Amino acid sequence: MKKFLNILMIAVLGGLITLGGYFLIQKTSAKSRTTNQTDVIQLPTSFTGYSSGSFTQALPDFAVAADVSIHAVVHIKTEYERKNSFYDDFFGLGELFGIRPYVEKGPLRGAGSGVIIRTDGYIVTNNHVVQDANKIEVTLNDKRTYSATIVGTDPSTDLAVIKIEEANLPYLSYGDSDALKIGEWVLAVGNPFNLTSTVTAGIVSAKARNINILGSEAGTAIESFIQTDAAVNRGNSGGALVNTRGELVGINAAIASGTGYYSGYSFAIPVNIVKKVVADLIEFNRVQRGYLGVKINDIDSKFAEQHNIKVLKGVYVAEVMDDGPAEEAGMKTGDIIISIGETNVNSSSELLELIGRHRPGDNVKVGINRKGNISYLTVELRNSDNTTQLISKDEISVTPRLGITVENASQELLKKLNISHGVQISNIERNSVIANSGVKKGFVIVEIDRKPVRRVEDIARILEGKKGAILMEGIYPNGVRAYYAFGL
């Protein structure tokens, strides 16, 4: 019995020792695991992703910016006259013989977006949204509808200003497109597919992007787009690109797509060029554009090798125009422009955008690299006629091509003649193309090549790059309608 009790006590004691050791090991293991887990989820203070607790840093709140934007973005509907008969193709001369051309019923229609930029009804949109429209209807976000008139258009930047008669409207404040950074969040606000205001988000993918959609034979197009991955579709054209503070930083203009629908990238006109164009159109009905008087080329490695250029920075001056502003300031062919004002430039699109913000007569500091030597020139910009004169709001000379001076027809005259638009010839040069065609002073030009002429700048736009036969239609102050055909 005694021997049995000893064995039992030893067994119990061994069991207690084993059990105690087990609990001690489990406690130590649990403490070790807890310590290791804390090490794994410990995040550095610079962490910018998603987590929980005190480390949370979410995306910016777009609600405020979206709420500000949607009330200042409008839906634009346009109507265009439909003309598709043989007689229209033959300059419309059938009407001279009393033959009325067959025209399909109903006008053509289009749609886009616009941004209210002043409380008194001024709206900026794309030129391609309203160009040649016979009727423009604007619908606000609160569903109020207005008829709009065109204040001015600028095909070189694909911008236009229209106006509705209303006061105390919500509007977007201008931001600073130069301050945008690649990777920064932006919102695109517009009316795709004839829907009411739609907001999409994306980031700035690139700046100063040239996609060659505004091609101009005169070389006046300014393409320096902001590229984003915000979803933009048909109907978004002319809508707003805003930053997270709700400031306007661009006007949406195009998408990169093989189908016509959003597929990755959209492009917006920077607001810093929009501001200048809008101001000119409101004040002068046309853009007052300053020119350096040079032809330029981008520099890549191949071009640099061909021209013995050591550093791939700046824009190459391929030609300096005789007696132009750049030549008078001392610029030479072969110089490399490295800055405009205080901003460095490294592409033609950047340079054209920066110059495009100025008017004729403005002085601009231009940094140049001449065979490794850096210097700065002050260039007084000029207009396309190589003068510093600003062209007046009501009168524009188109002498170089037609030999006439035209002015906007008065509302009284338009009403008297029962026409909605037209510009009047105020002067005709002797032996000019127009004079030799038999046109008389006072003639109101209504259409050129079947395109409506509503403002004086429309003539230069319609005739840009034109060669060959031209048809001009209009009416004299006594009510006699006339058609003139001439060659350029």
Side-chain angles (χ1 to χ4, degrees):
M1 180 62 70
K2 184 176 181 181
K3 183 178 181 180
F4 174 77
L5 290 174
N6 287 337
I7 293 172
L8 180 62
M9 288 179 65
I10 292 172
V12 171
L13 182 60
L16 290 173
I17 292 172
T18 301
L19 187 61
Y22 172 79
F23 281 116
L24 180 62
I25 292 171
Q26 284 291 93
K27 185 176 180 180
T28 302
S29 176
K31 183 177 180 180
S32 175
R33 286 198 304 271
T34 302
T35 302
N36 289 338
Q37 287 175 355
T38 302
D39 291 340
V40 169
I41 65 170
Q42 184 70 40
L43 300 174
T45 56
S46 61
F47 179 71
T48 57
Y50 294 98
S51 182
S52 59
S54 61
F55 298 108
T56 300
Q57 185 170 341
L59 291 172
D61 185 356
F62 299 127
V64 174
D67 184 60
V68 170
S69 304
I70 60 174
H71 300 296
V73 174
V74 303
H75 188 201
I76 298 174
K77 294 181 181 179
T78 54
E79 290 187 1
Y80 304 84
E81 185 177 356
R82 185 194 298 270
K83 294 183 179 181
N84 63 346
S85 71
F86 166 80
Y87 298 101
D88 288 313
D89 293 335
F90 192 60
F91 294 125
L93 296 179
E95 295 183 18
L96 291 176
F97 302 98
I99 303 173
R100 297 182 63 85
Y102 170 74
V103 179
E104 290 186 23
K105 294 182 179 180
L108 296 171
R109 292 182 173 85
S113 303
V115 182
I116 303 173
I117 43 91
R118 280 182 25 175
T119 60
D120 54 350
Y122 283 95
I123 298 167
V124 62
T125 184
N126 288 142
N127 173 66
H128 73 260
V129 171
V130 298
Q131 182 179 344
D132 298 332
N134 295 317
K135 180 180 178 181
I136 303 173
E137 181 182 276
V138 169
T139 303
L140 306 186
N141 191 55
D142 61 10
K143 299 183 180 180
R144 286 183 290 171
T145 301
Y146 301 83
S147 293
T149 57
I150 296 177
V151 175
T153 61
D154 181 35
S156 295
T157 55
D158 194 26
L159 290 171
V161 176
I162 62 176
K163 190 178 188 304
I164 61 175
E165 297 304 320
E166 187 55 273
N168 301 317
L169 292 170
Y171 69 97
L172 281 184
S173 299
Y174 290 133
D176 182 2
S177 51
D178 286 349
L180 280 178
K181 298 179 180 179
I182 295 181
E184 181 176 339
W185 284 98
V186 287
L187 300 179
V189 187
N191 298 272
F193 312 116
N194 286 321
L195 300 172
T196 53
S197 291
T198 300
V199 181
T200 57
I203 62 169
V204 176
S205 305
K207 296 174 65 176
R209 192 70 93 191
N210 186 335
I211 56 175
N212 297 311
I213 63 170
L214 302 179
S216 166
E217 291 187 23
T220 58
I222 298 177
E223 291 196 26
S224 187
F225 293 112
I226 301 166
Q227 179 180 325
T228 81
D229 63 353
V232 171
N233 282 291
R234 293 175 179 174
N236 273 104
S237 290
L241 187 74
V242 301
N243 59 24
T244 53
R245 296 182 295 278
E247 298 169 332
L248 184 67
V249 293
I251 296 296
N252 295 316
I255 58 175
S257 171
T259 63
Y261 298 97
Y262 170 75
S263 62
Y265 293 109
S266 55
F267 300 90
I269 304 161
V271 76
N272 287 359
I273 193 69
V274 173
K275 288 189 290 187
K276 193 268 181 182
V277 170
V278 166
D280 282 354
L281 293 179
I282 292 175
E283 185 176 354
F284 299 100
N285 287 127
R286 62 168 292 155
V287 175
Q288 306 286 349
R289 182 151 292 133
Y291 294 91
L292 273 177
V294 296
K295 291 184 178 180
I296 54 178
N297 284 102
D298 286 323
I299 301 173
D300 56 21
S301 57
K302 184 177 180 180
F303 187 89
E305 183 179 353
Q306 292 173 345
H307 292 79
N308 195 30
I309 297 172
K310 305 300 182 184
V311 181
L312 299 180
K313 290 184 179 180
V315 179
Y316 184 79
V317 178
E319 183 180 348
V320 178
M321 305 302 178
D322 292 338
D323 301 321
E327 183 185 63
E328 290 194 3
M331 198 174 300
K332 297 181 179 180
T333 299
D335 286 346
I336 298 174
I337 299 174
I338 58 174
S339 64
I340 300 294
E342 303 303 321
T343 305
N344 294 332
V345 294
N346 204 34
S347 68
S348 298
S349 56
E350 287 178 316
L351 189 150
L352 291 173
E353 180 194 344
L354 291 169
I355 294 297
R357 299 178 190 177
H358 295 277
R359 291 176 174 176
D362 288 350
N363 289 317
V364 177
K365 184 175 74 170
V366 181
I368 63 169
N369 178 348
R370 181 177 296 166
K371 297 180 179 179
N373 297 316
I374 307 300
S375 61
Y376 296 89
L377 306 174
T378 299
V379 181
E380 184 181 39
L381 302 179
R382 298 179 190 169
N383 59 29
S384 56
D385 294 328
N386 203 29
T387 73
T388 58
Q389 182 180 1
L390 298 181
I391 300 174
S392 68
K393 181 174 182 177
D394 297 320
E395 186 173 279
I396 295 178
S397 172
V398 288
T399 297
R401 301 215 70 185
L402 300 181
I404 61 174
T405 299
V406 295
E407 58 187 22
N408 292 326
S410 67
Q411 290 299 316
E412 292 78 13
L413 180 59
L414 294 177
K415 185 175 181 181
K416 173 187 172 183
L417 298 176
N418 194 30
I419 56 178
S420 62
H421 60 270
V423 300
Q424 190 172 28
I425 298 176
S426 59
N427 188 55
I428 302 177
E429 290 186 355
R430 295 179 62 184
N431 298 320
S432 64
V433 170
I434 291 298
N436 293 335
S437 299
V439 184
K440 305 300 181 184
K441 182 178 176 180
F443 183 66
V444 179
I445 304 170
V446 177
E447 291 185 352
I448 294 179
D449 276 357
R450 309 307 264 174
K451 295 181 179 179
V453 178
R454 294 184 174 83
R455 298 163 304 281
V456 288
E457 68 269 20
D458 287 344
I459 296 178
R461 174 179 57 78
I462 294 171
L463 295 181
E464 183 179 0
K466 285 271 189 179
K467 294 182 180 179
I470 303 294
L471 176 71
M472 186 168 69
E473 307 173 33
I475 184 171
Y476 283 100
N478 61 4
V480 175
R481 288 187 172 272
Y483 300 79
Y484 296 96
F486 53 89
L488 287 179

